[in-house]
Structure formats: C-alpha cells, structure tokens
C-alpha cells in the first residue's frame, strides 16, 4: 500500500475514534427502529437472547462438567497432600476444556451439515432445516453459524428480516474479530440503515474488515478510492485493493469457469420486467422442455447449457447431460463437445474420465467444432489421458481461436504470456487476451489487467488496470445476490431486495446502484426514513451516471428540475440533460432539453434549437414520435398565436398576453388537449 494513502487512512481513523462514544450512545436509541418484520422463528429469538447474555457463557460450560469425576479428582489431590488452590483451579479448567472442545466440534459439524443442505436446497423446507442447524451451531458458539444467522436477519432470508437484531449480532461478532461483521457494520453505517449515518465510521469498519481478510471490504475500498468517495481519489490505492480481490477471483476461475449472474435492471418497463430476457419465464421453460422432448436439437443443446452453468435463473444441475446425450445422438457437434467438457471437469452425473472426454472432444473436433478443438488442446496442454504435448495443444488452440472461441484465444495468450511450449511474446499474448476479453472471457480480462498494472508488453496504465480488475472482481460469488434481490422484489419483499441491491451498490456495481435508487424513489421501502430516500436515491443515481448509465444521468436532471432531494436548479438540470443527449444520445434528455429551450428554463430561450432537439428525439427513438408530435404542434400553435394574434408589428398596440397569469401554469397542457380534441373531431368527420 502507498505510505501516503496509509497515513491518510490512519489519520481518518484517529479522527473518527473520538466520535465512537457518541455513535454508540446513538445506537442504543435505535431500539425503536425495528425496520422490518419481527423474527418469525422462535429458535432465532432464543439465539439472540443467548448472544445478549454471552457474558454468562462460561457459567453454562461449567455446568456441563461431570460432578462425580470432579469429586474423585479432588479426593486424589487430598491424598497426595496437594492443597494448592491454584492447582485446583487449573484442574477445574482441565475438565472444562474437553467439554468446550466437544461442544465446538459438535457446532462445527452442525454448521457443515447446514451449509451442505443450504447449498443443495431446492425448497423452502430445506432452507428452514439448514437455518435450524445454523441456530443450534450458533448456540454452541460457532462464529460462522452466527455470521450466517446475522446475514439471514439482515437480508431477510425466508421472511425473517430484522435489522435491529442483525446489528446486535454483528456488534457481538465484531468484538470477536469477525471481518464479515466489520464489513456489514460499515455498510449499514454508510447508508444510515438502523445505525447513525456516518461515512467516517463506515470507512473504519471497512479498513478493519479488509485487514481481517474481507474481500467485500477490499472491493468497497477499491471503489471508494477509485471514485474519491469520502477519501482522496487515489488510483494506486484502488489498484492495490482491487488486485487482491481479482487474484482471489482468478484463482477460483482457474479451477472452474464460474457461474455468470444475470443482472436485471428494474428501471425497464414493467411489461418487459415481467418477461425479462435475463430470467427465463417458467411457462417458456416448460415449453422449451416440451420442444426438447419432441426432438428439437437446438433447444436440447440450449437447455443443456442453461442447466450446466445455471443460467437465466435456473438452478445448476446435471440434467444437462440428459439433454446433451439426446442432441449428440442426433449428431450435434456442440452437444458432443459439452459432454466431453463434463467428463473432463467431472461432476455427479459425469465422473471425471479423460478417456471419455477425449472421445467426445474428438467426435466434435472432427466436425470442426471450436469447443471440441479447444477441449483436445486442453487435454494435450495438461497431459490429461495423453502425454503433455504443447505443440499439439498450440495447434488445436489456434484452430479453435480462428473460429472465434474466446477460451481458446485466452489459452493462446496464456501460452505466449508464460512461455509454455513457445517463446515468450507479450505482444502476441496481449493480442489474444484482448480478443478473448471482447467476448467477456474473465481470465483474459484478469491477465490484461496484470499487463496494464505492471507495464508488461504494454504502456502502464493504472486507470485501465483498475477498470479491468474491477470487471473481474464483479464476478465474485457475492454477485449471486442479484438474483435473490430480483426475486425478492418480484415477490413484493421490497426491503429485502433493497438491502441486497444497496450492498452491491456499495461494492461499485452500476446496475445495483440504479436499482437501489429506483426502489428508494418509489418510497415503498421501510428501512429508511422518507426524508432520506430522495437524497440517497440522488446519490446513487449520481454514482450510476458516473459509470455511464444514461438513464441515471437523465434522472439527476429530473431531480434538479423538480427539486427532489435537492434544491430546484434549472441550470444544473439542463447541464445533465445536455450530457445525456450529447454523450449517450438519450431521446428523453433531448426532449427535456428541447422543452427547457422552448420556455427558457435555466438557459436562453431558443425556439429554433427547441424545434431541432424535438426532431432529434423523434429520430433517436420511435417511442418519442407521439410526444414529439404533440410538443411540436403546441410549439407551432403558440408561435402562431404569438406572431399573429397577440402581437401587431405595425401599430405596436397589442401586447403579449401572459398566459401563466391568465389561463394558469398548465396552459400548455390545455393547448395540447384542445389540439387532440380537434384531431379526433377531424378524424371522425373524415370517416363519415
């Protein structure tokens, strides 16, 4: 870490420490802020009481001693003439330790069982069973189980959200050194959810969380230093934080491809949201299954892929093999390649078998299939079932790369980057990494970031490296919350959805920032006071806009235009509309800017420019045609009234009639209404 940046963090920590006593007093007053439903599971309530009485834990353990064994041992000590009281205390501890160890072991086993059930759970009953085991494990002092329970209370797992109880739990865990608890408390402080809104205190929690090993805290700090959020903007410090997380993710990705997570935008139209392309509708899924059973090979392969990696909201399971085998029997090269992939990696349905993998990869490769060619390359590269042969691997990777397969392009880049079977050539490595990255190959993006960060084979660029590392970090397992947050929103659990999106927004996900802002401005959430919602939404829209979200940029303009969460400021609104129109070609921004030019709001009145912007909006989006038509009709009508009826250029006796004072502030809507009525009247007469 940069020494200057470290010094800045230390100074902030020293400054904020003085506020801790005040903040703790404030937290005690938050008991009335029971922001969500009460805990519905009685066992969890008992568990919370247990934690509040944690100071009595030693007494509970003492009672578990075997009194008979203790008495026998004391008798033996007396016979030996040992009257030393300290020794007696040590012997009492001797009996306590095995009891503690037994309890700890049992708690660990219960946690492992619960975790396994939770990972494999496909029903509400199984999830409830898992959390029941976590509760029992937590009562035995298992910290990981306590963290699970705290997370369940915070995020509202199966309807048991209680943020006040979650905070009490996290505070207890933080005292035990839990980095997950530190991160959670930092997140809650940064939004003022159930705690005092205190960005400096949040920064302290994140700093300690990252020091303890929290990847989420590292990512949050990386985003803060990248964007200059409550810290001095420092690319090098951001690079340091993001690299640690990216290294962790890359290590996971090298062992498996990882599961891509669909990020649904709530800002889409409601009719599109209900049938969002990112999530497969259940009825459509059933129809696809029907087609697959009828022998549609393309659908069979598609369903196999969806089940293999768990896409479109479907659970990852190995019914994929069933569909691939049906398609392979019909001659599908893609299906053969995917069967080879399943046997190469190994899973419950297709145990790892290099010979079978080689067979199916060869069948696919013989048909010129890129995935099959890449699979054969991997077998020769790693020496799986065949001797290591970099020459053969290079040949197959090149053939697959020529067909545009990104994984093969990455493998070629890696061979030239590491010098595996070829001379090191960073220019060629960069070329292939770049090609693969254009298709979103995560490891290619990671190695590009490494090259930019170190200046290997390319001019060093901290900013580019950070942006690339950030993209890799966003593939972490925490991105799974996008799905749970979306389904919670669809089920009407707005608070649970918001808390999950808000955490992802804090980590720098642009989609989560816009989704959180969208929920906040709807004012349906109960976890924040209504007076805080618009200012917080404006903050999140602003962060999303900085990351290139055109809709968010227009929203910032709207907030300044109407005075939501800030003072009315037409000039600032016009500035944001101009950015959205010029940079993102937003039809809505063009329309809004045209209206402001038409009426001279925050900018000089210019009818000709207003007319031009209205036309541009109609050209940019078909949806803008009708609003633009009425807006132009109104503009031309008012222009005509101004030139002919209300202004006499010869006698100068007629004066401009101020419509705002005579007709009212919404006279333009009245004019549009009259135009619509006239059009309807003319159309009806025409049909007659």
């Amino acid at each position: 870490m940069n020494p200057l940046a470290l010094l800045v963090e230390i100074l902030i920590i020293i400054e904020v420490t003085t506020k801790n006593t005040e903040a703790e007093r404030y937290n005690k007053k938050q008991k009335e802020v029971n922001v969500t439903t009460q805990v519905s599971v009685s066992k969890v309530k008992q568990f919370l009481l247990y934690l509040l009485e944690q100071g009595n834990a030693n007494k509970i353990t003492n009672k578990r001693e075997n009194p008979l064994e203790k008495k026998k041992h004391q008798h033996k000590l007396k016979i030996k003439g040992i009257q030393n009281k300290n020794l007696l205390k040590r012997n009492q501890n001797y009996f306590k330790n095995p009891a503690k160890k037994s309890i700890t072991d049992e708690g660990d086993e219960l946690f492992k069982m619960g975790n396994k059930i939770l990972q494999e759970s496909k029903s509400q009953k199984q999830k409830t069973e898992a959390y029941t085991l976590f509760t029992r494990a937590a009562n035995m002092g298992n910290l990981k189980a306590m963290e699970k329970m705290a997370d369940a209370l915070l995020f509202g797992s199966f309807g048991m959200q209680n943020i006040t109880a979650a905070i009490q739990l996290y505070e207890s865990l933080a005292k035990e050194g839990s980095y997950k608890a530190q991160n959670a408390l930092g997140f809650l402080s940064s939004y003022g959810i159930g705690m005092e809104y205190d960005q400096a205190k949040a920064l302290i929690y994140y700093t300690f969380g990252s020091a303890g090993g929290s990847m989420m805290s590292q990512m949050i700090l990386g985003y803060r230093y990248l964007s200059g959020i409550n810290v001095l903007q420092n690319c090098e410090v951001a690079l340091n934080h993001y690299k640690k997380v990216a290294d962790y993710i890359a290590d996971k990705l090298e062992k498996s491809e990882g599961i891509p997570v669909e990020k649904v935008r709530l800002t889409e139209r409601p009719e599109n949201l209900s049938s969002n392309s990112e999530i497969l509708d259940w009825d459509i899924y059933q129809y696809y299954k029907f087609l697959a059973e009828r022998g549609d090979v393309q659908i069979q392969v598609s369903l196999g892929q969806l089940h293999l990696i768990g896409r479109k909201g479907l659970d990852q399971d190995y019914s994929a093999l069933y569909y691939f085998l049906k398609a392979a029997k019909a001659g599908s090269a893609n299906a053969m390649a995917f069967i080879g992939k399943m046997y190469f990696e190994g899973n419950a349905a297709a145990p790892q078998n290099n010979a079978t993998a080689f067979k199916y990869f060869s069948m696919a490769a013989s048909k010129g299939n890129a995935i099959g060619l890449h699979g054969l390359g991997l077998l020769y590269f790693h020496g799986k079932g065949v001797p290591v042969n970099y020459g053969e691997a290079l040949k197959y990777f090149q053939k697959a790369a020529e067909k545009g397969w990104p994984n093969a392009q990455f493998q070629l880049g890696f061979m030239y980057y590491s010098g595996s079977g070829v001379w090191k050539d960073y220019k060629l490595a960069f070329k292939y990494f770049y090609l693969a990255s254009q298709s979103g190959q995560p490891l290619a993006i990671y190695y590009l970031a490494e090259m930019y960060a170190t200046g290997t084979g390319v001019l060093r660029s901290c900013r580019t490296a950070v942006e690339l590392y950030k993209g890799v970090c966003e593939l972490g397992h925490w991105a799974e919350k996008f799905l749970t947050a979306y389904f919670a929103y669809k089920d009407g659990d707005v608070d649970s959805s918001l808390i999950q999106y808000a955490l992802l927004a804090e980590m720098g996900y642009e989609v989560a920032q816009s989704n959180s802002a969208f929920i906040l401005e709807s004012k349906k959430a109960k976890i924040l006071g209504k007076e805080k919602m618009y200012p917080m939404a404006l903050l999140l829209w602003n962060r999303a806009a900085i990351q290139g979200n055109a809709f968010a940029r227009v929203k910032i303009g709207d907030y300044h235009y109407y005075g939501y969460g800030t003072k009315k400021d037409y000039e600032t609104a016009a500035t944001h509309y101009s950015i959205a129109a010029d940079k993102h070609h937003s039809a809505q921004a063009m329309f809004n800017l045209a209206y402001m030019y038409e009426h001279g709001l925050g900018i000089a009145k210019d009818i000709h420019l207003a007319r031009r912007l209205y036309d541009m909006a109609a050209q940019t989006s078909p949806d803008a045609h009708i609003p633009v038509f009425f807006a132009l009709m109104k503009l031309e009508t008012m222009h005509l009234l101004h030139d002919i009826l209300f202004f006499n250029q010869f006698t100068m006796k007629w004066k401009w009639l101020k419509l705002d004072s005579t007709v009212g502030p919404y006279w333009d809507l009245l004019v549009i209404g009259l135009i619509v009525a006239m059009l309807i009247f003319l159309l009806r007469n025409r049909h007659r």
Side-chain angles (χ1 to χ4, degrees):
M1 182 181 282
N2 190 309
L4 180 61
L6 182 61
L7 180 60
V8 170
E9 286 191 18
I10 292 168
L11 288 171
I12 292 170
I13 290 167
I14 293 169
E15 181 186 347
V16 176
T17 305
T18 58
K19 298 180 181 179
N20 283 351
T21 308
E22 220 173 85
E24 284 173 10
R25 286 176 189 166
Y26 180 88
N27 289 338
K28 289 178 183 177
K29 295 178 183 178
Q30 298 303 306
K31 291 180 181 178
E32 68 271 16
V33 190
N34 192 355
V35 288
T36 52
T37 56
Q38 293 296 319
V39 183
S40 57
V41 185
S42 60
K43 289 188 177 181
V44 177
K45 289 183 179 178
Q46 292 169 7
F47 167 59
L48 290 173
L49 290 172
Y50 163 78
L51 283 173
L52 294 173
E53 297 172 0
Q54 196 174 14
N56 299 324
N58 290 334
K59 294 178 183 178
I60 295 169
T61 309
N62 290 346
K63 291 178 183 178
R64 298 192 179 187
E65 295 183 316
N66 189 325
L68 184 61
E69 291 296 322
K70 182 179 175 182
K71 193 172 182 180
K72 283 181 180 178
H73 190 70
Q74 287 176 350
H75 180 66
K76 287 179 182 178
L77 290 173
K78 285 180 182 179
I79 292 172
K80 291 181 180 179
I82 301 172
Q83 300 297 329
N84 191 317
K85 292 182 181 180
N86 291 329
L87 181 59
L88 180 59
K89 286 179 182 178
R90 286 200 296 272
N91 279 284
Q92 287 173 347
N93 290 334
Y94 170 81
F95 286 102
K96 285 194 284 185
N97 289 336
K100 282 184 178 179
K101 188 175 185 303
S102 174
I103 294 165
T104 303
D105 290 345
E106 189 180 347
D108 290 343
E109 285 301 315
L110 287 169
F111 173 76
K112 288 175 184 176
M113 287 168 59
N115 211 30
K116 186 178 179 182
I117 292 169
L118 188 64
Q119 288 173 351
E120 297 173 357
S121 64
K122 292 183 180 179
S123 67
Q124 197 70 15
K125 186 179 178 182
Q126 286 176 310
K127 288 180 181 178
T128 305
E129 184 184 348
Y131 277 97
T132 302
L133 290 171
F134 289 148
T135 304
R136 288 173 57 194
N139 275 298
M140 293 175 181
N142 186 285
L143 290 177
K144 289 182 180 179
M146 292 183 197
E147 289 170 348
K148 283 280 187 184
M149 295 306 299
D151 288 347
L153 290 168
L154 178 63
F155 298 117
S157 300
F158 59 88
M160 56 180 288
Q161 189 177 33
N162 189 313
I163 293 172
T164 305
I167 290 170
Q168 293 174 350
L169 219 55
Y170 283 131
E171 286 174 344
S172 298
L173 286 164
K175 290 174 185 176
E176 297 295 325
S178 167
Y179 62 79
K180 288 186 178 179
Q182 300 276 6
N183 182 76
L185 290 170
F187 157 63
L188 292 167
S189 297
S190 69
Y191 281 89
I193 298 173
M195 300 178 71
E196 182 184 14
Y197 177 80
D198 191 334
Q199 290 292 343
K201 191 174 180 183
L203 188 62
I204 287 182
Y205 279 125
Y206 290 143
T207 303
F208 282 117
S210 65
S214 170
M215 291 295 111
M216 293 173 81
S217 290
Q218 291 278 9
M219 196 168 164
I220 290 168
L221 287 173
Y223 177 65
R224 287 192 166 220
Y225 279 104
L226 174 64
S227 307
I229 299 172
N230 299 108
V231 291
L232 293 172
Q233 194 170 14
N234 190 320
C235 183
E236 294 298 334
V237 177
L239 179 69
N240 182 49
H241 285 296
Y242 272 125
K243 177 172 169 48
K244 289 177 182 176
V245 185
D247 289 344
Y248 168 78
I249 300 298
D251 182 59
K252 297 283 186 186
L253 290 171
E254 284 173 353
K255 295 172 184 175
S256 63
E257 287 188 5
I259 301 172
V261 175
E262 283 72 26
K263 300 168 186 174
V264 180
R265 290 188 182 275
L266 301 182
T267 51
E268 291 186 1
R269 293 180 179 180
E271 61 268 24
N272 293 340
L273 189 61
S274 61
S275 57
N276 195 285
S277 60
E278 298 291 340
I279 304 295
L280 190 63
D281 185 80
W282 180 251
D283 292 332
I284 295 173
Y285 171 64
Q286 293 299 321
Y287 178 62
Y288 283 165
K289 285 180 71 175
F290 170 75
L291 291 177
E293 293 300 330
R294 291 285 298 271
D296 190 316
V297 176
Q298 190 175 351
I299 294 293
Q300 288 168 350
V301 175
S302 297
L303 278 178
Q305 286 180 268
L306 291 175
H307 280 290
L308 181 62
I309 55 178
R311 293 292 303 273
K312 301 288 184 184
L314 295 177
D315 291 328
Q316 184 182 23
D317 61 46
Y318 301 111
S319 59
L321 185 62
Y322 168 76
Y323 291 112
F324 287 144
L325 285 169
K326 286 177 78 72
K329 194 174 180 181
S332 169
N334 274 336
M336 295 170 189
F338 279 117
I339 294 170
K341 182 178 182 296
M342 290 183 75
Y343 279 105
F344 176 74
E345 294 174 353
N347 54 58
Q352 208 284 327
N353 190 310
N354 293 324
T356 308
F358 185 87
K359 171 189 167 184
Y360 279 103
F361 280 144
S362 298
M363 288 167 64
S366 66
K367 292 175 176 284
N369 182 269
I371 305 171
L373 290 165
H374 171 252
L376 286 176
L378 285 176
L379 289 170
Y380 281 108
F381 184 82
H382 295 290
K384 295 286 186 75
V386 292
V388 173
N389 189 327
Y390 290 129
E392 283 293 296
L394 184 67
K395 180 182 76 173
Y396 285 118
F397 287 149
Q398 284 175 334
K399 286 182 179 179
E402 286 169 7
K403 293 178 180 291
W405 185 240
N407 289 351
Q409 292 167 344
F410 161 70
Q411 288 295 341
L412 279 176
F414 182 76
M415 288 184 79
Y416 285 111
Y417 181 82
S418 60
S420 303
V422 292
W423 292 104
K424 280 188 179 182
D425 189 329
Y426 292 127
K427 287 186 178 178
L428 276 176
F430 180 84
K431 171 191 169 183
Y432 285 115
F433 284 150
Y434 179 78
L435 284 171
S437 71
Q438 295 305 293
S439 300
Q441 216 287 345
L443 285 172
I445 296 169
Y446 171 76
Y447 279 101
L448 273 181
E450 291 279 278
M451 295 181 83
Y452 275 110
T454 57
T456 304
V458 67
L459 187 66
R460 187 180 187 275
S461 172
C462 177
R463 182 79 190 192
T464 306
V466 168
E467 292 292 346
L468 290 167
Y469 277 139
K470 182 175 182 288
V472 176
C473 294
E474 290 183 355
L475 297 171
H477 61 84
W478 38 78
E480 293 170 5
K481 290 195 182 298
F482 271 105
L483 278 180
T484 54
Y486 171 69
F487 287 125
Y489 182 80
K490 278 195 74 176
D491 292 339
D493 194 349
V494 177
D495 287 331
S496 175
S497 179
L498 175 59
I499 205 85
Q500 293 178 77
Y501 278 133
L503 176 59
L504 293 167
E506 185 76 353
M507 296 170 74
Y509 288 90
E510 178 271 311
V511 175
Q513 289 167 349
S514 59
N515 285 356
S516 299
F518 178 79
I519 293 173
L520 283 168
E521 75 172 20
S522 70
K523 293 193 172 182
K524 292 178 182 177
K526 299 175 184 176
I527 59 176
L528 274 177
K530 288 190 177 180
E531 72 284 353
K532 294 180 182 178
M533 289 192 181
Y534 275 135
M536 186 60 71
L538 178 59
L539 177 71
L540 290 164
W541 283 129
N542 189 57
R543 290 181 184 177
I546 290 169
Q547 297 199 68
N549 186 319
F551 184 84
R553 183 66 67 182
V554 175
K555 275 289 183 182
I556 298 169
D558 292 344
Y559 274 50
H560 283 95
Y561 184 90
Y562 294 108
Y564 295 155
T566 184
K567 292 180 181 178
K568 276 190 180 182
D569 188 339
Y570 291 138
E571 287 185 19
T572 304
T575 300
H576 286 289
Y577 290 145
S578 296
I579 294 170
D582 297 338
K583 189 176 179 181
H584 304 291
H585 308 291
S586 166
Q588 182 67 62
M590 292 172 189
F591 186 92
N592 294 354
L593 200 57
Y595 184 86
M596 296 185 80
Y597 272 113
E598 181 186 349
H599 296 279
L601 299 171
I603 42 181
K605 190 172 182 178
D606 190 329
I607 297 297
H608 300 293
L609 188 53
R611 192 181 287 117
R612 174 65 184 142
L613 284 165
Y614 279 135
D615 289 336
M616 285 173 64
Q619 291 167 11
T620 304
S621 172
D623 293 340
H625 284 165
I626 294 174
V628 165
F629 171 76
F630 287 124
L632 284 173
M633 286 286 289
K634 186 208 74 172
L635 186 149
E636 298 299 343
T637 303
M638 296 313 301
H639 193 59
L640 183 69
L641 289 172
H642 179 274
D643 288 345
I644 298 174
L645 300 177
F646 295 101
F647 190 82
N648 189 323
Q649 58 181 335
F650 299 105
T651 62
M652 298 296 289
K653 291 180 180 179
W654 295 94
K655 292 184 179 180
W656 171 246
L657 182 62
K658 293 185 178 179
L659 294 174
D660 277 355
S661 58
T662 56
V663 182
Y666 301 107
W667 58 269
D668 50 348
L669 297 177
L670 179 63
V671 172
I672 290 172
L674 289 171
I675 293 169
V676 172
M678 287 173 64
L679 284 170
I680 293 169
F681 177 75
L682 290 170
L683 287 169
R684 291 180 101 182
N685 285 338
R686 184 181 175 186
H687 285 300
R688 286 178 186 175

